[in-house]
Amino acid sequence: MSDAAHDDKPTPPVPPTDTTTRPSGRGTRTVSSEVVDTCDCGGTVVDEEVTTGKFVIGMWDAEMFDSDEFLLHTEWEQTERRVRCRRCDAGYEY
């Protein structure tokens, strides 16, 4: 099967039946950043989405989904959200 045909299939509209987490080798990096407030120290507080340096492989049951219609596996980068001050680095993850 060619990669082009593989990319045209949609992901099933339900959560994967099995997931595996593996290191991506890319390390952590900021995906998006939005200024949300000003810290007591005078710094800028930002809400960031960062990668964890891992990717997740999601697999669906071939008996439940038609392999000609849906992807039976896909992978995506695992991310976390955090709020932190750019000056004093105070904040939290969620």
Side-chain angles (χ1 to χ4, degrees), residues 25-43:
R26 296 178 65 183
T28 60
R29 61 183 169 71
T30 302
V31 176
S32 65
S33 180
E34 177 184 353
V35 176
V36 292
D37 205 354
T38 303
C39 183
D40 293 338
C41 74

Side-chain angles (χ1 to χ4, degrees), residues 1-87:
M1 180 188 303
S2 71
D3 288 336
H6 178 76
D7 293 338
D8 292 341
K9 293 181 183 179
T11 302
V14 297
T17 53
D18 184 30
T19 58
T20 303
T21 304
R22 304 215 176 164
S24 68
R26 296 178 65 183
T28 60
R29 61 183 169 71
T30 302
V31 176
S32 65
S33 180
E34 177 184 353
V35 176
V36 292
D37 205 354
T38 303
C39 183
D40 293 338
C41 74
T44 304
V45 176
V46 292
D47 185 350
E48 297 178 319
E49 181 179 11
V50 295
T51 62
T52 62
K54 299 176 182 175
F55 67 87
V56 179
I57 303 170
M59 292 158 277
W60 286 267
D61 189 349
E63 293 179 10
M64 294 177 62
F65 298 101
D66 180 3
S67 63
D68 292 331
E69 184 178 356
F70 291 110
L71 290 172
L72 294 181
H73 72 278
T74 188
E75 62 184 57
W76 58 92
E77 284 188 309
Q78 187 178 49
T79 60
E80 295 176 350
R81 302 231 22 134
R82 67 182 181 192
V83 175
R84 70 175 186 87
C85 173
R86 287 185 174 160
R87 179 182 283 177

